[in-house]
Amino acid sequence: MSVLAAPEIHIEWSALAPVLIVLGAAVVATLVEAFVPRQARRLVQVPLALLSVAAAGLVALQLALTASSSTTAAAQGNLAVDPMALYLQLAIAACSLLGLLVIADRTVQGEDAFAPQASAVPASEYEEQVRRAGWTQTDVFPLVLFAVGGMMLFPAATDLITLFVSLEVLSLPLYLLTGMARHRRLLSQEASLKYFLLGALASAFFLFGAAWVYGATGTLNLYVIQISVSSVTGLSPILVVGAVLILVGLLFKVGAVPFHAWTPDVYQGAPTVVTGFMAACTKIAAFGALLRVIYAMVPGLEWSLEPVLWTVAILTMVVGTVVGLVQKDVKRLLAYSAIAHAGFILVGVTAYSLEGLSGSLFYLFTYGISTVGAFGVLSLVREVDSDGHMRGEATGLDQWRGLGRRSPLLAGCFAIFLLSFAGIPLTSGFVAKFAVFGAAFGSGAAALGIVGLACSAAAAFFYARVIQVMFFDSPPDEEVRLTTVGPGIGVRTLGFTQIAIAVSLALTLVLGIVPGWFLSFTEELSSLLMLTR
Amino acid sequence: MTENLVLAAAEVTPAASAAWLVIAIPLVSAGILLLAGRLADKWGHLLGVAASAASCVVACWVFFAMLAQPAAERAQDVVLGTWIAGGSFTLDLGLQIDQLSMAFVLLVTFVGTLIHIYSIAYMEHDPDRRRFFAYLNLFVAAMLTLVMADSYLVLFVGWEGVGLASYLLIGFWNYRTEYAVAAKKAFIANRVGDVGMLIAMMIMFSQFHTLSFSGVFAAAAHASPATLTLIGLALLLAACGKSAQFPLQSWLGDAMAGPTPVSALIHAATMVTAGVYLVVRSGPIFEHTANARLAVLIVGAITLLYGAIVGCAKDDMKKALAASTMSQIGYMMLAAGLGPVGGIFAIMHLLTHGFFKAGLFLGAGSVMHAMSDQVDMRRFGALDKFMRVTWLTMMAGWLAILGIPPFAGFFSKDKIIEQAFVPPDGQPWQAWVFGLVAMLGAGITAFYMSRLFFMVFQGKARWTDGQHPHESPPLMTVPMIILSLGSIGLGLVLTLVKFDEYLAPALVEGHHGEPVLNQYVIMGSTLALVVIGAWIAWVKFGTKTAVVPVLPPAADGLVRAARADLYQDTLNNALLVVPGQALVRGTTEVDEKVVDGAVRGIGALFQSIGSVVSRLQNGYVRSYAATMLAGVILLVAIVLAVQG
């Protein structure tokens, strides 16, 4: 446990294997960019990325299944390899594997989601030349791998500095990826810049908070802070304020109100394939870190921090739901839905009990899977202009009118994802909501549970509206079609995205219809974690 | 008797173990009809009817096998497997086969099959008839899941399923905007009800760690009254949403936008009575909480008067019937709130109502069929000679709902009125209030139903030009005739076979109290009120000399209020919609603009960046950053306030 000067550096290679595989692959992928000829890069990058993430997931699964109740403190006590960390690494690997499939996909014309050359000025001569030459930006694969590596470290970090480093490792590639959309590049670059500036601000708050906590306790290790908190009688305001500032940094990443403002703009501006990956995996990683901080550092502080978490949870649910009701763009709608869901998960986190932890872990995985699937569908629905050319994604709700008739399969899949987000029985979303709200009722936070139920009932309304638009509204008639941008229609691709959608659809239904085995899995992991606390 | 319910899991008979087929057959059929697409257009409706009929046959088999058992062993909990086996929460997937669920199952499958048959002819010219039958099958499967569930969670699956099917069927003709609006209204009311259901389940789950009926009822015997009252009120909220009870009743009238067979099946006979089923099924919970029972009584009493008053002023035939449905379910709810003895009559009225109201709706559909889909009763009149079968079957339904002996409604409704005069928990004032309300309601019912019947069939013809009324084809009239047999005889039959003794083992034990008035006095005065109500209607609308204006005449305040659903929509608008919209507008505005305005002056740091990047999206980075800063200050203030 000692974080003080250790004479010999000892690294637990096997326990850290999932992270090491991904980060190692990321380094190799960077070298590929430097040394492999342009034409062959994609052929190398795609399998490398997919295989390394899959391998990391399998190793994490193996470690999770054999996990004992004792926490392995790895890397000089800076990382915890415990059931929760392994479970979240597995969830991140699963979601990013699906996300990578969507990212690697391209249309039958060979067009992927990214700008041919991100450094080219939008609408410049150079950009046009590059586009004609058919270049593609394969740097996205190492970037994604670095992000995944950071995400996997994030929930395992038990030291404020390690936590900060992994936060930055996961964030920086995401800022870049956000700015690389092929279509609507200005929107994409604007989103990237906003995300970067606000992310930097949030990181500053985090660091500031870490400094205050260090000042109050003289240590950066979460578990040592916990011990020093319980030994101090009368909490120092410095410690409490520091803890709040650390929470702010993490709440920013999960998109909780009032630190959510970036979410709609970034979700809308980023390439849709990146949005899906980011929405699913960042949420899992950031909530993982939040759970770690709350369960490791906060004991002793919970009475002070509870009102803060209550306020944020209620605000997040209400704002996400209410503002979601008026959205006219499918991507922004899903962004507000993501905010509302962050609030629902916060209810489970705030419940601060075995059921709450287990419910939150279940929720994170199922929500991540459904999110990747939903954004996968979104990435396939493209505008057709009057000449019949495929253009960028059709994200306007109007363009989705009658999609159920043009692309029934896509619309049907999307409807099921939406039903899951709405929490309708027989989908994983229902079980997840039941788990977290049930935990709230069970731990004396019934008021939070009731607000959550009311919000999810209201949120169901905007999901139902999308379903209604897809299946019941008639498509825009010919006249409208010629004067405005065309209606959305499913695009033909290599089929990677369809595989990802099929897998996430299957998981959404399986975890909705027979959730028992998975619930008992998360519950077992949570009880191991509670034991060690 | 509660213990009896818990220990009732006797050995499962072969028939009961096949009971899952009752649900599976229509579900599979719905799947086939939806997946086969246009391929199934030719035979889709036949498959739909066959599935519903097959489900009915299996249900009959299960029912008679159950009757063969001694009364104490009839209730069976058929476990199909473990659904959820979490560490702290285990739930078996099972079916509750008992006297209560089977009564409902027979109603759903039998009336459902008749309405399927009727729909073949009614929907003949609709290009989407196959899809319509798929939704009907889906509805039947979901409704059966709801009533056969052995736990609140499985019940909730069916509960959401019927809501979904109802939504799809109301909006079936969704190319018409007002129908889509109606579907939306039904959706909202149902979601409010769902929140109630979820809250009830959450409380049960957190307090009792189970959601199965047997587990919850066993735990309820030892739970605190406050908990049970909360659960009871939440269940009542759920029932109000689903059963169109006050204050969530406004959607039912608009739901009449759907095809008429849907109104008959879902919005008269089955789905809207699910709330009554829920309250009766949860008897062991309501038994221990007089407060929640009183709330049920109040809701039932208000709704029965409310529906009756609204029904008096409606000129739209289907909306008048919808108001009457609301009012009759109010009677059932009132009865359910009276305790176990009342619960028996609630279910009995539910069954007879299922027949006579479905018959009345199918009759209304037949009239619409004859009069080119008109629903304005002011443009009907004197149709009796042109549609003899429709006239006679609707007459049976009319006499049944009036409660004229020996028609079906007499045996069930009269019992409810009598039971309302029994003081519950030794509170005579309640007996007088609810008894008189129920009796008065019967009189008003007689007026508005007679008004409807006379305006449609008697009096002078007030048709629009070019009408050639004709009788409907046999596919429509035969189901109507069968339902009218139920309207005539079901009440007598149920009384003769001692339905109350049959049903009693499925409910908690009740004790028969004495009404505050002699029962013959109650019966006599009720009948007198009914005759007076019907006579007024006859004088105003039925005689050959009665003048019925083709346009609604100017009227006084009460009639105007009743025409406007007693201003329920206006009230909803003022209480919910306007504040709701204000909330949405306000939150959106704060979210997007206000902070920006506040910091415009001090945002110099981000000024240059902001002006470059803000062209495409409306949010400035500086205002987002200011929001964050404000948030941090807020949170720190909260935490320091708590510290201090």
Side-chain angles (χ1 to χ4, degrees), chain B residues 70-130:
Chain B
E73 293 170 21
R74 283 180 184 164
Q76 303 188 35
D77 190 356
V78 187
V79 178
L80 299 176
T82 306
W83 185 15
I84 297 174
S88 62
F89 179 54
T90 308
L91 184 74
D92 286 335
L93 179 63
L95 300 178
Q96 177 88 26
I97 308 294
D98 66 4
Q99 293 89 338
L100 177 57
S101 65
M102 284 317 291
F104 221 121
V105 166
L106 287 181
L107 174 76
V108 173
T109 53
F110 185 72
V111 175
T113 305
L114 289 180
I115 290 172
H116 273 73
I117 295 171
Y118 177 94
S119 307
I120 297 179
Y122 190 85
M123 301 297 286
E124 195 171 0
H125 303 296
D126 196 300
D128 286 324
R129 182 166 67 166
R130 169 194 53 82

Side-chain angles (χ1 to χ4, degrees), chain A residues 316-338:
Chain A
T316 308
M317 290 189 284
V318 171
V319 169
T321 304
V322 169
V323 184
L325 286 170
V326 296
Q327 297 306 312
K328 301 223 162 16
D329 180 286
V330 185
K331 266 170 112 176
R332 284 185 87 83
L333 192 147
L334 284 187
Y336 280 101
S337 143

Side-chain angles (χ1 to χ4, degrees), chain B residues 493-581:
Chain B
V493 170
L494 287 178
T495 309
L496 288 181
V497 299
K498 296 197 171 24
F499 181 73
D500 50 347
E501 286 176 24
Y502 156 82
L503 192 62
L507 307 177
V508 289
E509 197 170 9
H511 42 84
H512 291 259
E514 282 304 310
V516 288
L517 276 176
N518 181 294
Q519 62 162 319
Y520 295 103
V521 175
I522 299 173
M523 198 185 289
S525 356
T526 309
L527 274 176
L529 275 173
V530 164
V531 171
I532 293 170
W535 181 73
I536 298 174
W538 170 254
V539 171
K540 287 190 73 173
F541 304 101
T543 58
K544 282 289 168 198
T545 53
V547 181
V548 182
V550 291
L551 287 175
D556 57 21
L558 183 62
V559 176
R560 275 207 309 277
R563 280 182 190 153
D565 293 330
L566 298 183
Y567 302 120
Q568 170 73 15
D569 278 345
T570 322
L571 192 71
N572 278 355
N573 210 39
L575 286 183
L576 301 170
V577 180
V578 171
Q581 282 172 342

Side-chain angles (χ1 to χ4, degrees), chain A residues 186-187 190 194 240 258-261 265 268 304 307 311 322 326 336 425 437-438 441-442 453 457 461 472 513 523, chain B residues 83 87-88 156 160 168 174 184 187 195 199 202 206 211 584 591 613 616-617 619 621 624 628 631 638-639 642-643:
Chain A
L186 281 175
L187 198 69
E190 179 188 332
K194 279 182 180 170
V240 183
F259 315 109
H260 68 294
D265 289 359
Q268 189 184 21
S304 314
T311 312
V322 169
V326 296
Y336 280 101
F437 295 151
F441 274 87
L453 286 175
F461 195 69
F472 299 151
I513 295 168
E523 199 160 299
Chain B
W83 185 15
S88 62
F156 188 66
E160 292 286 71
L168 291 171
N174 47 54
K184 193 188 275 184
F187 183 84
V195 173
I199 291 177
M202 295 290 171
S206 62
L211 289 174
V584 171
D591 198 51
V613 299
L616 294 169
Q617 288 164 339
V621 170
Y624 290 175
M628 283 176 64
I638 290 176
V639 84
V642 175
Q643 275 308 100

Side-chain angles (χ1 to χ4, degrees), chain B residues 243-244 248-257 267-268 272 322-323 325-326 329:
Chain B
S243 292
L248 296 175
Q249 79 284 30
S250 68
W251 63 272
L252 189 61
D254 295 295
M256 295 299 122
H267 304 119
V272 286
T325 302
M326 200 188 285
I329 297 173

Side-chain angles (χ1 to χ4, degrees), chain A residues 140-490:
Chain A
V140 293
F141 295 102
L143 285 174
V144 169
L145 286 176
F146 275 118
V148 173
M151 289 167 182
M152 286 178 145
L153 277 176
F154 207 24
T158 56
D159 169 285
L160 289 174
I161 293 297
T162 317
L163 205 57
F164 179 71
V165 171
S166 37
L167 172 68
E168 293 304 304
V169 170
L170 84 88
S171 299
L172 291 171
L174 289 179
Y175 302 147
L176 285 175
L177 286 167
T178 302
M180 289 168 68
R182 175 181 283 267
H183 302 279
R184 299 190 192 131
R185 290 193 58 198
L186 281 175
L187 198 69
S188 169
Q189 294 184 346
E190 179 188 332
S192 172
L193 191 59
K194 279 182 180 170
Y195 194 14
F196 170 68
L197 288 171
L198 296 171
L201 185 63
S203 296
F205 280 125
F206 181 95
L207 264 189
F208 196 36
W212 281 49
V213 168
Y214 184 76
T217 62
T219 173
L220 289 167
N221 188 297
L222 296 175
Y223 290 94
V224 182
I225 295 172
Q226 177 192 347
I227 293 164
S228 77
V229 166
S230 43
S231 62
V232 173
T233 46
L235 294 170
S236 107
I238 297 181
L239 174 64
V240 183
V241 171
V244 170
L245 292 175
I246 288 175
L247 287 183
V248 167
L250 299 174
L251 289 169
F252 172 83
K253 275 289 157 202
V254 304
V257 179
F259 315 109
H260 68 294
W262 58 277
T263 318
D265 289 359
V266 171
Y267 275 35
Q268 189 184 21
T272 306
V273 294
V274 171
T275 311
F277 162 72
M278 184 166 75
C281 300
T282 313
K283 192 145 280 178
I284 299 176
F287 263 110
L290 192 63
L291 283 168
R292 169 77 60 200
V293 167
I294 286 182
Y295 280 82
M297 183 179 96
V298 169
L301 285 180
E302 64 254 42
W303 289 113
S304 314
L305 292 183
E306 199 172 60
V308 170
L309 289 170
W310 273 61
T311 312
V312 173
I314 291 176
L315 275 178
T316 308
M317 290 189 284
V318 171
V319 169
T321 304
V322 169
V323 184
L325 286 170
V326 296
Q327 297 306 312
K328 301 223 162 16
D329 180 286
V330 185
K331 266 170 112 176
R332 284 185 87 83
L333 192 147
L334 284 187
Y336 280 101
S337 143
I339 294 172
H341 279 278
F344 300 147
I345 304 173
L346 272 175
V347 172
V349 174
T350 311
Y352 202 67
S353 62
L354 174 65
E355 290 79 19
L357 180 58
S358 159
S360 311
L361 292 180
F362 184 88
Y363 204 127
L364 284 171
F365 181 73
T366 54
Y367 175 74
I369 293 286
S370 306
T371 301
V372 178
F375 279 100
V377 174
L378 214 57
S379 76
L380 291 181
V381 179
R382 303 291 182 86
E383 298 175 348
V384 189
D385 61 16
S386 46
D387 303 331
H389 295 304
M390 282 285 170
R391 301 206 319 197
E393 283 110 7
T395 57
L397 203 51
D398 284 340
Q399 296 171 295
W400 282 57
R401 281 164 67 180
L403 187 72
R405 286 176 218 171
R406 294 191 295 276
S407 311
L409 217 56
L410 269 187
C413 293
F414 200 63
I416 292 178
F417 291 130
L418 291 174
L419 290 178
S420 179
F421 291 150
I424 302 295
L426 302 185
T427 62
S428 59
F430 171 72
V431 184
K433 284 215 175 86
F434 198 91
V436 293
F437 295 151
F441 274 87
S443 68
L448 267 188
I450 288 175
V451 173
L453 286 175
C455 284
S456 71
F461 195 69
F462 58 74
Y463 301 121
R465 194 165 58 119
V466 178
I467 296 179
Q468 189 195 335
V469 162
M470 289 194 299
F471 289 97
F472 299 151
D473 288 6
S474 43
D477 43 14
E478 205 59 33
E479 209 173 309
V480 181
R481 191 182 298 184
L482 293 178
T483 51
T484 60
V485 276
I489 189 165

Side-chain angles (χ1 to χ4, degrees), chain A residues 67-156:
Chain A
S68 62
S69 64
S70 66
T71 303
T72 312
Q76 313 293 313
N78 291 331
L79 292 172
V81 184
D82 61 3
M84 185 176 86
L86 290 167
Y87 168 83
L88 290 168
Q89 287 174 352
L90 174 62
I92 291 166
C95 290
S96 46
L97 189 63
L98 296 177
L100 268 169
L101 278 173
V102 181
I103 289 173
D105 205 4
R106 60 208 306 195
T107 63
V108 282
Q109 288 87 20
E111 191 188 282
D112 62 13
F114 300 95
Q117 185 73 7
S119 57
V121 175
S124 67
E125 185 79 4
Y126 176 51
E127 184 188 40
E128 187 57 24
Q129 284 171 5
V130 172
R131 198 184 63 77
R132 289 238 183 82
W135 286 13
T136 52
Q137 192 93 49
T138 45
D139 326 46
V140 293
F141 295 102
L143 285 174
V144 169
L145 286 176
F146 275 118
V148 173
M151 289 167 182
M152 286 178 145
L153 277 176
F154 207 24

